[in-house]
Coordinates of all heavy atoms in Angstrom, one line a residue:
M1 N 0.8 -1.2 0.0 CA 0.0 0.0 0.0 C 0.9 1.2 0.0 O 1.9 1.3 0.7 CB -0.9 0.0 1.2 CG -1.8 1.2 1.3 SD -2.8 1.2 2.8 CE -3.6 -0.4 2.8
E2 N 0.5 2.2 -0.8 CA 1.3 3.5 -0.9 C 1.2 4.3 0.4 O 0.1 4.2 1.0 CB 0.9 4.3 -2.0 CG 0.6 3.8 -3.3 CD -0.8 3.7 -3.8 OE1 -1.7 4.7 -3.5 OE2 -1.1 2.8 -4.4
T3 N 2.1 5.1 0.7 CA 2.1 6.0 1.8 C 0.9 7.0 1.7 O 0.3 7.3 2.7 CB 3.4 6.7 2.0 OG1 4.4 5.8 2.1 CG2 3.4 7.6 3.2
E4 N 0.6 7.4 0.4 CA -0.4 8.4 0.2 C -1.8 7.8 0.6 O -2.7 8.6 1.0 CB -0.5 8.8 -1.2 CG 0.8 9.4 -1.8 CD 1.8 8.4 -2.3 OE1 1.4 7.4 -2.8 OE2 3.0 8.7 -2.0
A5 N -1.9 6.5 0.6 CA -3.2 5.9 0.9 C -3.6 6.2 2.4 O -4.8 6.2 2.7 CB -3.2 4.4 0.7
L6 N -2.6 6.4 3.2 CA -2.9 6.7 4.7 C -3.7 8.0 4.8 O -4.3 8.2 5.8 CB -1.6 6.8 5.4 CG -0.8 5.5 5.6 CD1 0.5 5.7 6.2 CD2 -1.6 4.5 6.5
D7 N -3.6 8.9 3.8 CA -4.3 10.2 3.9 C -5.6 10.2 3.2 O -6.3 11.2 3.2 CB -3.4 11.3 3.4 CG -2.1 11.5 4.2 OD1 -2.2 11.4 5.4 OD2 -1.1 11.7 3.6
R8 N -6.0 9.1 2.6 CA -7.3 9.0 1.9 C -8.3 8.4 2.8 O -8.1 7.7 3.7 CB -7.1 8.1 0.6 CG -6.2 8.7 -0.4 CD -6.3 7.9 -1.7 NE -5.0 8.0 -2.4 CZ -4.3 7.1 -2.9 NH1 -4.7 5.8 -2.7 NH2 -3.2 7.3 -3.5
P9 N -9.6 8.7 2.5 CA -10.7 8.2 3.3 C -10.7 6.6 3.4 O -10.3 6.0 2.5 CB -12.0 8.7 2.6 CG -11.5 9.9 1.8 CD -10.1 9.5 1.4
A10 N -11.3 6.2 4.5 CA -11.5 4.7 4.7 C -12.7 4.5 5.5 O -13.1 5.3 6.3 CB -10.2 4.1 5.3
D11 N -13.3 3.3 5.4 CA -14.4 2.9 6.3 C -13.9 1.8 7.2 O -13.2 0.9 6.8 CB -15.6 2.4 5.4 CG -16.1 3.5 4.6 OD1 -16.3 4.6 5.1 OD2 -16.5 3.3 3.4
L12 N -14.4 1.9 8.5 CA -14.1 0.8 9.4 C -15.4 0.1 9.8 O -16.4 0.8 10.2 CB -13.5 1.4 10.7 CG -13.4 0.5 11.9 CD1 -12.4 -0.6 11.7 CD2 -13.0 1.3 13.2
A13 N -15.4 -1.2 9.6 CA -16.6 -2.0 10.0 C -16.2 -2.9 11.2 O -15.1 -3.5 11.1 CB -17.1 -2.9 8.8
V14 N -17.0 -2.9 12.2 CA -16.8 -3.7 13.4 C -17.8 -4.8 13.5 O -19.0 -4.5 13.5 CB -16.8 -2.8 14.7 CG1 -16.6 -3.6 15.9 CG2 -15.8 -1.7 14.6
W15 N -17.3 -6.0 13.4 CA -18.1 -7.2 13.4 C -17.9 -7.9 14.8 O -16.9 -7.9 15.4 CB -17.7 -8.2 12.3 CG -18.0 -7.7 11.0 CD1 -17.3 -6.9 10.2 CD2 -19.2 -8.0 10.2 NE1 -17.9 -6.6 9.0 CE2 -19.1 -7.3 9.0 CE3 -20.3 -8.7 10.4 CZ2 -20.1 -7.3 8.0 CZ3 -21.3 -8.8 9.5 CH2 -21.2 -8.1 8.3
P16 N -19.0 -8.7 15.2 CA -18.7 -9.5 16.3 C -17.8 -10.6 16.1 O -17.7 -11.1 14.9 CB -20.1 -10.1 16.7 CG -21.0 -9.8 15.5 CD -20.3 -8.8 14.7
A17 N -16.9 -11.0 17.0 CA -15.9 -12.0 16.8 C -16.5 -13.4 16.6 O -15.9 -14.2 15.9 CB -14.9 -12.0 17.9
L18 N -17.5 -13.7 17.2 CA -18.2 -15.0 17.2 C -19.3 -15.0 16.1 O -20.2 -14.2 16.2 CB -18.7 -15.4 18.5 CG -17.7 -15.5 19.7 CD1 -18.3 -15.8 21.0 CD2 -16.6 -16.5 19.4
A19 N -19.2 -16.0 15.2 CA -20.3 -16.1 14.2 C -21.7 -16.3 14.7 O -22.6 -15.9 14.1 CB -19.9 -17.2 13.2
G20 N -21.7 -16.9 15.9 CA -23.0 -17.1 16.6 C -23.7 -15.8 16.9 O -24.9 -15.8 17.2
N21 N -23.0 -14.7 17.0 CA -23.5 -13.4 17.4 C -23.8 -12.7 16.1 O -23.3 -11.6 15.8 CB -22.5 -12.6 18.2 CG -22.3 -13.2 19.6 OD1 -23.1 -14.0 20.1 ND2 -21.2 -12.9 20.1
A22 N -24.7 -13.2 15.2 CA -24.9 -12.7 13.9 C -25.6 -11.3 14.0 O -26.8 -11.2 13.6 CB -25.7 -13.7 13.1
A23 N -24.9 -10.4 14.5 CA -25.5 -9.0 14.5 C -24.9 -8.2 13.3 O -23.9 -8.6 12.7 CB -25.0 -8.3 15.8
R24 N -25.5 -7.1 13.1 CA -25.0 -6.3 12.0 C -23.7 -5.7 12.3 O -23.5 -5.4 13.5 CB -26.0 -5.2 11.7 CG -27.3 -5.6 11.1 CD -28.2 -4.5 10.7 NE -28.5 -3.7 12.0 CZ -28.9 -2.5 12.0 NH1 -29.0 -1.8 10.9 NH2 -29.2 -1.9 13.2
A25 N -22.9 -5.4 11.3 CA -21.7 -4.7 11.5 C -22.0 -3.2 11.7 O -23.0 -2.7 11.2 CB -20.7 -4.9 10.3
I26 N -21.2 -2.6 12.5 CA -21.3 -1.1 12.7 C -20.2 -0.5 11.8 O -19.0 -0.8 12.0 CB -21.1 -0.8 14.2 CG1 -22.2 -1.4 15.0 CG2 -21.1 0.8 14.3 CD1 -22.1 -1.3 16.4
S27 N -20.5 0.3 10.9 CA -19.6 0.9 10.0 C -19.5 2.4 10.2 O -20.5 3.1 10.4 CB -20.0 0.6 8.5 OG -19.1 1.1 7.6
T28 N -18.2 2.9 10.2 CA -17.9 4.3 10.3 C -17.0 4.8 9.3 O -16.0 4.1 9.0 CB -17.3 4.5 11.8 OG1 -18.2 4.0 12.7 CG2 -17.1 6.0 12.0
H29 N -17.3 5.9 8.7 CA -16.4 6.5 7.7 C -15.4 7.5 8.3 O -15.8 8.2 9.2 CB -17.3 7.3 6.7 CG -16.5 7.9 5.6 ND1 -16.0 7.2 4.5 CD2 -16.1 9.2 5.4 CE1 -15.3 8.0 3.7 NE2 -15.3 9.2 4.2
Y30 N -14.2 7.4 7.9 CA -13.1 8.2 8.4 C -12.5 9.0 7.3 O -12.4 8.5 6.2 CB -12.0 7.4 9.1 CG -12.5 6.8 10.4 CD1 -13.2 5.6 10.5 CD2 -12.4 7.5 11.6 CE1 -13.6 5.1 11.7 CE2 -12.9 7.0 12.8 CZ -13.5 5.8 12.9 OH -14.0 5.3 14.0
A31 N -12.0 10.2 7.6 CA -11.4 11.1 6.6 C -10.1 10.6 6.1 O -9.6 10.9 5.0 CB -11.2 12.5 7.2
S32 N -9.4 9.7 6.9 CA -8.2 9.1 6.5 C -8.0 7.7 7.0 O -8.6 7.3 8.0 CB -7.0 10.0 7.0 OG -6.8 9.8 8.4
L33 N -7.2 6.9 6.3 CA -6.9 5.6 6.8 C -6.2 5.6 8.1 O -6.4 4.8 8.9 CB -6.0 4.9 5.7 CG -5.5 3.5 6.0 CD1 -6.7 2.6 6.4 CD2 -4.8 2.9 4.9
R34 N -5.4 6.6 8.3 CA -4.7 6.8 9.6 C -5.7 6.8 10.8 O -5.6 6.2 11.8 CB -3.9 8.1 9.7 CG -2.7 8.1 8.9 CD -2.0 9.5 9.0 NE -1.2 9.9 7.9 CZ 0.0 9.4 7.6 NH1 0.5 8.5 8.4 NH2 0.7 9.8 6.5
E35 N -6.8 7.6 10.6 CA -7.9 7.7 11.6 C -8.5 6.3 11.8 O -8.9 5.9 12.9 CB -8.9 8.8 11.2 CG -8.3 10.2 11.3 CD -9.4 11.2 10.8 OE1 -10.6 10.8 10.8 OE2 -9.0 12.3 10.5
A36 N -8.8 5.6 10.7 CA -9.5 4.4 10.7 C -8.6 3.3 11.5 O -9.1 2.5 12.2 CB -9.8 3.9 9.3
L37 N -7.3 3.3 11.2 CA -6.4 2.4 11.9 C -6.3 2.7 13.4 O -6.3 1.8 14.2 CB -5.0 2.5 11.3 CG -4.8 1.9 9.9 CD1 -3.5 2.3 9.3 CD2 -4.9 0.4 10.0
S38 N -6.3 4.0 13.7 CA -6.3 4.3 15.1 C -7.6 3.9 15.8 O -7.5 3.3 17.0 CB -6.2 5.9 15.3 OG -6.3 6.3 16.6
A39 N -8.7 4.0 15.2 CA -10.0 3.5 15.8 C -10.0 2.0 15.8 O -10.5 1.4 16.8 CB -11.2 4.0 15.0
A40 N -9.4 1.3 14.8 CA -9.3 -0.1 14.8 C -8.5 -0.6 15.9 O -8.8 -1.7 16.5 CB -8.8 -0.6 13.4
A41 N -7.4 0.1 16.3 CA -6.6 -0.3 17.4 C -7.4 -0.4 18.7 O -7.2 -1.3 19.5 CB -5.4 0.7 17.5
R42 N -8.3 0.5 18.9 CA -9.1 0.5 20.1 C -10.1 -0.7 20.0 O -10.3 -1.3 21.1 CB -9.9 1.8 20.2 CG -8.9 3.0 20.6 CD -9.7 4.3 20.9 NE -10.5 4.8 19.7 CZ -10.0 5.6 18.8 NH1 -8.7 5.9 18.8 NH2 -10.7 6.0 17.8
V43 N -10.6 -1.0 18.9 CA -11.5 -2.1 18.7 C -10.8 -3.4 19.0 O -11.4 -4.3 19.7 CB -12.1 -2.1 17.3 CG1 -12.9 -3.4 17.1 CG2 -13.0 -0.9 17.1
L44 N -9.5 -3.6 18.6 CA -8.8 -4.8 18.8 C -8.6 -5.1 20.2 O -8.3 -6.2 20.6 CB -7.4 -4.7 18.0 CG -7.5 -4.9 16.5 CD1 -6.2 -4.5 15.9 CD2 -7.9 -6.3 16.2
A45 N -8.7 -4.1 21.1 CA -8.5 -4.3 22.5 C -9.7 -5.1 23.1 O -9.6 -5.7 24.2 CB -8.4 -3.0 23.3
D46 N -10.8 -5.2 22.4 CA -12.0 -6.0 22.8 C -12.0 -7.3 22.0 O -12.3 -7.3 20.8 CB -13.2 -5.2 22.6 CG -14.5 -5.8 23.1 OD1 -14.5 -7.1 23.4 OD2 -15.5 -5.1 23.2
P47 N -11.8 -8.4 22.7 CA -11.7 -9.7 21.9 C -13.1 -10.2 21.4 O -13.1 -11.0 20.5 CB -11.2 -10.7 23.0 CG -11.5 -10.1 24.3 CD -11.5 -8.6 24.1
S48 N -14.2 -9.5 21.8 CA -15.5 -9.8 21.2 C -15.8 -9.1 19.9 O -16.9 -9.4 19.3 CB -16.6 -9.5 22.2 OG -16.7 -8.1 22.4
K49 N -14.9 -8.3 19.4 CA -15.1 -7.5 18.2 C -13.9 -7.7 17.2 O -12.8 -7.9 17.6 CB -15.2 -6.0 18.5 CG -16.4 -5.7 19.4 CD -16.5 -4.3 19.8 CE -17.6 -4.0 20.7 NZ -17.6 -2.7 21.2
Q50 N -14.2 -7.6 15.9 CA -13.3 -7.7 14.9 C -13.4 -6.5 13.9 O -14.4 -6.3 13.3 CB -13.4 -9.0 14.1 CG -13.0 -10.2 14.9 CD -12.9 -11.4 14.0 OE1 -13.1 -11.3 12.8 NE2 -12.4 -12.5 14.6
P51 N -12.3 -5.7 13.8 CA -12.4 -4.6 12.9 C -11.9 -5.0 11.4 O -11.0 -5.8 11.3 CB -11.4 -3.6 13.4 CG -10.3 -4.5 14.1 CD -11.1 -5.7 14.6
W52 N -12.6 -4.5 10.4 CA -12.3 -4.6 9.0 C -12.3 -3.2 8.4 O -13.2 -2.5 8.7 CB -13.3 -5.5 8.3 CG -13.1 -7.0 8.6 CD1 -13.5 -7.6 9.8 CD2 -12.6 -8.0 7.8 NE1 -13.3 -8.9 9.7 CE2 -12.7 -9.2 8.5 CE3 -12.0 -8.0 6.5 CZ2 -12.2 -10.4 8.0 CZ3 -11.6 -9.2 6.0 CH2 -11.7 -10.4 6.8
I53 N -11.3 -2.9 7.6 CA -11.2 -1.6 7.0 C -11.3 -1.8 5.5 O -10.7 -2.7 5.0 CB -9.9 -0.9 7.4 CG1 -9.8 -0.6 8.9 CG2 -9.7 0.4 6.6 CD1 -8.5 0.0 9.4
V54 N -12.0 -0.9 4.9 CA -12.1 -0.8 3.4 C -11.5 0.5 3.0 O -12.0 1.6 3.5 CB -13.5 -1.0 2.9 CG1 -13.5 -0.9 1.4 CG2 -14.1 -2.3 3.4
T55 N -10.5 0.5 2.2 CA -9.8 1.7 1.8 C -10.6 2.4 0.6 O -11.5 1.7 0.0 CB -8.4 1.5 1.3 OG1 -8.4 0.7 0.2 CG2 -7.6 0.8 2.4
E56 N -10.3 3.6 0.3 CA -10.9 4.3 -0.8 C -10.6 3.5 -2.1 O -11.5 3.6 -3.0 CB -10.3 5.7 -0.9 CG -10.9 6.5 -2.0 CD -10.3 7.9 -2.1 OE1 -9.1 8.0 -2.2 OE2 -11.1 8.9 -1.9
D57 N -9.5 2.8 -2.2 CA -9.2 2.0 -3.4 C -9.9 0.7 -3.4 O -9.7 -0.1 -4.4 CB -7.7 1.8 -3.5 CG -7.0 3.1 -3.7 OD1 -7.5 4.1 -4.3 OD2 -5.8 3.2 -3.2
G58 N -10.7 0.3 -2.4 CA -11.4 -0.9 -2.3 C -10.6 -2.0 -1.7 O -11.1 -3.2 -1.7
E59 N -9.5 -1.8 -1.2 CA -8.7 -2.8 -0.5 C -9.3 -3.1 0.8 O -9.6 -2.2 1.6 CB -7.2 -2.3 -0.3 CG -6.3 -3.4 0.2 CD -4.9 -3.0 0.3 OE1 -4.5 -1.9 -0.3 OE2 -4.1 -3.7 0.9
M60 N -9.4 -4.4 1.2 CA -10.0 -4.8 2.5 C -8.8 -5.2 3.4 O -8.0 -6.1 3.0 CB -11.0 -5.9 2.3 CG -12.2 -5.5 1.5 SD -13.4 -6.8 1.4 CE -14.0 -6.9 3.1
L61 N -8.8 -4.6 4.6 CA -7.8 -5.0 5.6 C -8.5 -5.8 6.7 O -9.3 -5.3 7.4 CB -7.2 -3.7 6.1 CG -6.6 -2.7 5.2 CD1 -6.0 -1.5 5.9 CD2 -5.6 -3.4 4.3
A62 N -8.1 -7.1 6.8 CA -8.6 -8.0 7.8 C -8.0 -7.6 9.1 O -6.9 -6.9 9.2 CB -8.3 -9.4 7.4
P63 N -8.5 -8.1 10.2 CA -7.9 -7.8 11.5 C -6.4 -8.2 11.6 O -5.7 -7.4 12.2 CB -8.8 -8.7 12.5 CG -10.1 -8.8 11.8 CD -9.8 -8.9 10.4
V64 N -6.0 -9.3 11.1 CA -4.6 -9.7 11.1 C -3.7 -8.7 10.4 O -2.6 -8.3 10.8 CB -4.4 -11.1 10.7 CG1 -4.6 -11.2 9.2 CG2 -3.0 -11.6 11.0
T65 N -4.2 -8.1 9.3 CA -3.5 -7.1 8.5 C -3.5 -5.8 9.3 O -2.4 -5.1 9.3 CB -4.2 -6.9 7.1 OG1 -4.3 -8.2 6.5 CG2 -3.4 -6.0 6.3
I66 N -4.5 -5.5 9.9 CA -4.6 -4.2 10.7 C -3.6 -4.3 11.8 O -2.8 -3.4 12.1 CB -6.0 -4.0 11.3 CG1 -7.0 -3.7 10.1 CG2 -6.0 -2.9 12.3 CD1 -8.4 -3.7 10.5
R67 N -3.5 -5.5 12.5 CA -2.5 -5.7 13.6 C -1.1 -5.4 13.0 O -0.2 -4.9 13.7 CB -2.6 -7.0 14.2 CG -3.7 -7.2 15.2 CD -3.7 -8.5 15.9 NE -4.8 -8.7 16.8 CZ -6.0 -9.2 16.4 NH1 -6.2 -9.7 15.2 NH2 -7.0 -9.3 17.3
A68 N -0.8 -6.0 11.9 CA 0.5 -5.8 11.2 C 0.9 -4.4 11.0 O 2.0 -3.9 11.2 CB 0.6 -6.6 9.9
Y69 N -0.1 -3.6 10.5 CA 0.1 -2.2 10.3 C 0.4 -1.4 11.6 O 1.1 -0.5 11.6 CB -1.1 -1.5 9.6 CG -1.0 -1.7 8.1 CD1 -1.9 -2.5 7.5 CD2 -0.1 -0.9 7.3 CE1 -1.9 -2.6 6.1 CE2 -0.1 -1.1 6.0 CZ -1.0 -1.9 5.3 OH -1.0 -2.1 4.0
L70 N -0.2 -1.9 12.7 CA -0.1 -1.2 14.0 C 1.2 -1.5 14.7 O 1.7 -0.8 15.5 CB -1.3 -1.5 14.9 CG -2.6 -1.0 14.4 CD1 -3.7 -1.6 15.2 CD2 -2.7 0.5 14.4
N71 N 1.8 -2.7 14.3 CA 3.1 -3.1 14.9 C 4.3 -2.5 14.3 O 4.7 -1.9 13.6 CB 3.2 -4.6 15.0 CG 2.2 -5.2 15.9 OD1 1.9 -4.5 16.9 ND2 1.8 -6.4 15.7

C-alpha cells in the first residue's frame, strides 16, 4: 500500500468475533486511513469484536493485517 493511501478516506466496519452473534456490523467513515487504523486499534482491545477496514481504493484490511500495520 502506498504511503499516500494513509491520507485517503477509509471505512471501518466492526463485526462480532463469534459467528453465533450474527449482529449487523457497525460501519464508520473516516477522513483518512490513519484515523481508521487508530480507531481499529481501540476495537482490537476488545476480543469480542473484529475490525475490518475498506480503503478508498477498495482494498480490504482484515484484523490480522490491521495488527501488522499497527506493529
Side-chain angles (χ1 to χ4, degrees):
M1 178 183 310
E2 319 106 37
T3 306
E4 300 85 36
L6 292 170
D7 296 322
R8 293 188 206 131
D11 294 318
L12 170 65
V14 179
W15 290 87
L18 301 174
N21 295 338
R24 291 184 299 157
I26 298 170
S27 183
T28 306
H29 182 76
Y30 289 91
S32 72
L33 177 55
R34 288 180 207 282
E35 292 176 17
L37 285 167
S38 178
R42 292 187 295 276
V43 172
L44 285 169
D46 184 345
S48 70
K49 298 177 182 174
Q50 290 191 355
W52 286 73
I53 294 176
V54 179
T55 68
E56 183 181 58
D57 296 331
E59 184 176 353
M60 293 183 71
L61 306 179
V64 68
T65 306
I66 295 168
R67 281 187 183 92
Y69 275 108
L70 295 172
N71 289 330

